[in-house]
């Protein structure tokens, strides 16, 4: 209950900050559309070539669903993870993390929920819209497929959160390294199109080393009805990552000595 | 260039280089995060390898590797973040001390970007060699083409820098210019040739792209190195880039003159 109340306060604070820069809003919507256009142009370029019938066994509608999941996830990162978690390294470097630790609320929760960049919300909506549109165009989506896909995507969100949080936690030891999460963004870029379109040697890396496949390709496969219950492996990976993330955070906090004192 | 200007340049270069070496870890991170062209390259390579004739639009898997590795390297030289810095400076008021110096802040940023390239170069070169060896990428052996590349890319960088500078200066009017910057980046990535060699684009998109400076900034230098463009293309591209550069140079001067008058000096 207390967490919900705090979330509401955080949300309204974020909203009032962003409404101060109204001219930015139009540009943000434009850049959301432009972002989506890049993803679409990329995928249409492949299918516009007569030599390419299918991209690693994916038809156009299926590939568009992957692009949709990618856009949605990028939007989620911009709206939620980037504005929050990048403040950790700044807080450690300057010592302002202390103020947060003094408050009687779990510090990880505060760090993870304080800010929302609502300007990037259109990215999420466009991504979601693309998934729905491509799913309808495909015409074979079943209710159970959609439910399975939703569960898998929730696990995917948990994985992205855990990876982002873990990368930021390294700031406790590597004080000088900001933007370390951009390394994940670099790898995640490989998730914008179906995994099977990539060369064979890189696919295991993107599945088992960095779970990019779980974030975009696998939820789309579930929507297409290609996955059985074996896909429930995904929530397990998510839970393990979340647990490691929490342990790492508590250990990091234990070794924190503060910059200001 | 007289002795006085040369001294200013040397001092700026030395201080900016020292500044950039402090951020070497971050420079490496940013360098490794720009993977869009590599991902696109891997997909095109895979598709070409599995296509019936082993090629797509005249590109074999090896041609794609050559093109996209060149694109990655060239895009590394064209990286510009000045819009973020200007936007931040205007919003936070940190522009004020820079205005007091007897030199336009433009030069500090411009030289700073070049100094960063020097820090970036060693690792970038190592990675380029590794990528090229792994994929068997092949490049032209004609010295004149490499010299033309070395002429074209600094001009392309200067143009991109001026373009981004103008976007950053929008902060005088709009307070936060970051989103405009993203919009232009998308155009640059899509029309410059990060997604595919421009000759594989639909004809309509190719026509639109020709009216923008982007294909000459990124696609043309890469085509030159892979042997898909010749010196006459470069000559044409060079003059187009030059015209755009002069245009944006004038626009920057105009925006700076009017913008500084509007500057509220927050926090001063």
């Amino acid at each position: 209950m207390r967490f919900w109340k705090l979330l509401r306060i955080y949300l309204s604070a974020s909203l009032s900050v962003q409404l101060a820069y109204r001219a930015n809003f139009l540009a943000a919507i434009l850049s959301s559309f432009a972002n989506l256009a890049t993803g679409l142009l990329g995928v249409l370029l492949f299918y516009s070539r007569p030599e390419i019938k299918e991209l690693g066994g994916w038809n156009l509608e299926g590939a568009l669903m992957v692009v949709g999941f990618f856009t949605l996830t990028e939007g989620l990162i911009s709206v939620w993870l980037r504005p929050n978690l990048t403040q950790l390294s700044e807080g450690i470097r300057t010592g302002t993390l202390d103020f947060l630790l003094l408050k009687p609320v779990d510090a990880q929760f505060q760090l993870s929920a304080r800010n929302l960049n609502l300007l990037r919300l259109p990215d999420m909506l466009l991504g979601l819209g693309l998934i729905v549109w491509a799913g309808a165009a495909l015409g074979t989506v079943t209710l159970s497929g959609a439910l399975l896909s939703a569960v898998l995507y929730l696990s995917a969100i948990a994985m992205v959160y855990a990876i982002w949080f873990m990368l930021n936690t390294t700031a406790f030891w590597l004080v000088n390294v900001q933007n370390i999460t951009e390394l994940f963004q670099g790898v995640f870029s490989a998730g914008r199109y179906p995994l099977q379109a990539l060369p064979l040697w890189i696919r295991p890396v993107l599945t088992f080393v960095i779970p990019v496949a779980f974030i975009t390709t696998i939820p789309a496969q579930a929507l297409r009805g290609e996955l059985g219950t074996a896909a429930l492996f995904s929530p397990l990976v998510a839970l393990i990552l979340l647990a490691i993330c929490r342990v790492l955070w508590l250990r990091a906090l234990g070794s924190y000595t503060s910059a200001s004192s | 260039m007289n002795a006085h200007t040369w001294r200013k340049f040397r001092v700026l270069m030395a201080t900016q280089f020292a500044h950039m070496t402090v951020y070497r870890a971050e420079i490496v991170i940013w360098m490794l995060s720009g993977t869009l062209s590599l991902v696109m390259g891997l997909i095109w390579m895979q598709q070409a390898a599995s296509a019936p004739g082993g090629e797509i639009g005249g590109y074999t898997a090896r041609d794609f590797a050559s093109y996209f590795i060149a694109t990655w390297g060239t895009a590394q030289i064209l990286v510009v973040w000045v819009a973020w810095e200007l936007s931040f400076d205007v919003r936070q008021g940190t522009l004020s001390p820079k205005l007091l110096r007897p030199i336009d802040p433009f030069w500090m940023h411009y030289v700073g970007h070049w100094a960063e390239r020097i820090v970036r170069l060693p690792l970038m070169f190592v990675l380029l060699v590794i990528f090229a060896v792994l994929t068997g990428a092949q490049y032209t052996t004609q010295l004149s083409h490499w010299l033309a590349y070395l002429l074209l890319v600094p001009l392309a960088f200067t143009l991109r820098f001026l373009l981004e500078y103008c976007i950053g200066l929008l902060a005088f009017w709009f307070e936060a210019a970051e989103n405009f910057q993203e919009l232009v980046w998308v155009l640059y990535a899509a029309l410059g040739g990060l997604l595919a060699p421009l000759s594989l684009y639909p004809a309509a998109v190719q026509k639109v792209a020709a009216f923008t400076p982007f294909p000459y900034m990124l696609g043309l230098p890469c085509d030159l190195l892979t042997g898909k463009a010749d010196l006459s293309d470069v000559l044409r591209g060079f003059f187009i880039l030059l015209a755009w550069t002069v245009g944006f140079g004038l626009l920057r001067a105009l925006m700076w003159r009017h913008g500084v008058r509007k500057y509220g000096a927050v926090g001063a």
Side-chain angles (χ1 to χ4, degrees), chain B residues 11-22:
Chain B
V11 171
L12 271 180
M13 195 67 185
T15 50
Q16 287 296 323
F17 182 71
H19 181 74
M20 289 304 164
T21 47
V22 175

Side-chain angles (χ1 to χ4, degrees), chain B residues 27-159:
Chain B
I27 289 172
V28 171
I29 288 175
W30 282 118
M31 204 167 113
L32 296 178
S33 70
T35 55
L36 178 58
S37 67
L38 297 179
V39 170
M40 294 307 285
L42 284 172
I43 298 180
W44 282 110
M45 282 166 70
Q46 170 74 6
Q47 301 315 310
S50 58
E55 59 170 50
I56 293 174
Y59 279 78
T60 62
R62 175 177 286 195
D63 290 338
F64 277 122
S66 312
Y67 177 81
F68 281 102
I69 292 169
T71 318
W72 183 79
T74 308
Q76 295 290 325
I77 305 175
L78 297 184
V79 166
V80 174
W81 60 87
V82 73
W84 295 87
E85 280 187 351
L86 281 176
S87 177
F88 181 88
D89 277 353
V90 170
R91 202 168 49 229
Q92 303 285 328
T94 45
L95 182 65
S96 309
K98 289 173 188 159
L99 285 177
L100 291 175
R101 292 178 195 157
I103 186 168
D104 190 331
F106 174 84
W107 295 108
M108 188 197 80
H109 290 297
Y110 186 68
V111 175
H113 276 63
W114 278 116
E116 192 264 1
R117 287 315 102 97
I118 300 173
V119 178
R120 190 181 277 250
L121 214 59
L123 181 63
M124 183 185 127
F125 194 71
V126 171
L127 287 175
L128 281 174
V129 171
I130 294 174
F131 291 159
V133 169
L134 282 179
T135 56
Q138 281 177 338
Y139 296 100
T140 175
T141 48
Q142 273 177 291
L143 188 64
S144 60
H145 285 199
W146 283 94
L147 289 176
Y149 178 86
L150 290 180
L151 190 73
L152 203 58
V153 170
L155 180 63
F157 165 76
T158 306
L159 170 57

Side-chain angles (χ1 to χ4, degrees), chain A:
Chain A
M1 223 38 239
R2 181 149 158 256
F3 286 108
W4 280 117
K5 207 171 144 195
L6 276 171
L7 278 178
R8 276 221 328 267
I9 295 171
Y10 290 150
L11 183 66
S12 73
S14 301
L15 197 64
S16 53
V17 168
Q18 271 141 29
L19 285 178
Y21 301 108
R22 256 163 300 185
N24 229 3
F25 184 64
L26 185 71
I29 289 184
L30 278 177
S31 71
S32 293
F33 272 100
N35 252 328
L36 181 72
T38 318
L40 289 179
L41 180 66
V43 86
L44 290 175
L45 275 177
F46 293 124
Y47 288 95
S48 73
R49 301 305 310 178
E51 300 92 335
I52 302 177
K53 299 269 179 316
E54 284 192 327
L55 208 57
W58 290 72
N59 58 7
L60 180 60
E61 288 82 5
L64 285 177
M65 283 200 287
V66 178
V67 176
F69 276 111
F70 180 79
T71 312
L72 177 62
T73 312
E74 286 272 274
L76 198 74
I77 289 171
S78 306
V79 167
W80 171 41
L81 296 180
R82 187 169 284 124
N84 282 304
L85 300 184
T86 43
Q87 294 192 341
L88 180 60
S89 64
E90 183 70 12
I92 292 168
R93 205 165 53 83
T94 58
T96 48
L97 180 67
D98 301 8
F99 302 125
L100 200 135
L101 294 176
L102 288 173
K103 291 186 183 126
V105 185
D106 183 76
Q108 186 176 0
F109 171 74
Q110 288 185 70
L111 260 178
S112 308
R114 214 167 20 161
N115 300 301
L116 286 178
N117 182 3
L118 298 166
L119 283 175
R120 308 297 327 192
L121 209 57
D123 280 337
M124 292 178 63
L125 297 177
L126 287 174
L128 208 59
L130 185 59
I131 297 169
V132 172
W133 182 82
L138 201 62
T140 55
V141 178
T142 59
L143 183 64
S144 62
L147 283 176
L148 182 63
S149 174
V151 171
L152 292 176
Y153 190 64
L154 282 178
S155 319
I157 295 173
M159 285 181 215
V160 176
Y161 168 78
I163 293 170
W164 262 73
F165 200 87
M166 282 190 274
L167 282 172
N168 274 300
T169 309
T170 58
F172 280 100
W173 295 284
L174 313 166
V175 177
N176 253 332
V177 178
Q178 296 173 43
N179 308 318
I180 193 166
T181 42
E182 293 307 316
L183 284 180
F184 171 71
Q185 291 302 103
V187 179
F188 182 53
S189 182
R192 64 178 64 236
Y193 300 119
L195 182 74
Q196 290 76 11
L198 287 159
L200 197 58
W201 58 268
I202 205 172
R203 291 182 213 162
V205 180
L206 294 176
T207 311
F208 300 111
V209 183
I210 299 145
V212 172
F214 287 105
I215 299 165
T216 56
T217 301
I218 288 184
Q221 272 178 324
L223 263 185
R224 287 178 27 157
E226 282 178 0
L227 285 179
T229 41
L232 293 173
F233 182 58
S234 178
L236 191 69
V237 176
L239 279 176
I240 293 170
L241 280 176
L242 281 178
I244 299 174
C245 157
R246 183 67 182 174
V247 170
L248 192 70
W249 163 252
L250 291 175
R251 284 201 53 180
L253 215 51
S255 67
Y256 176 60
T257 50
S258 177
S260 54
S261 51

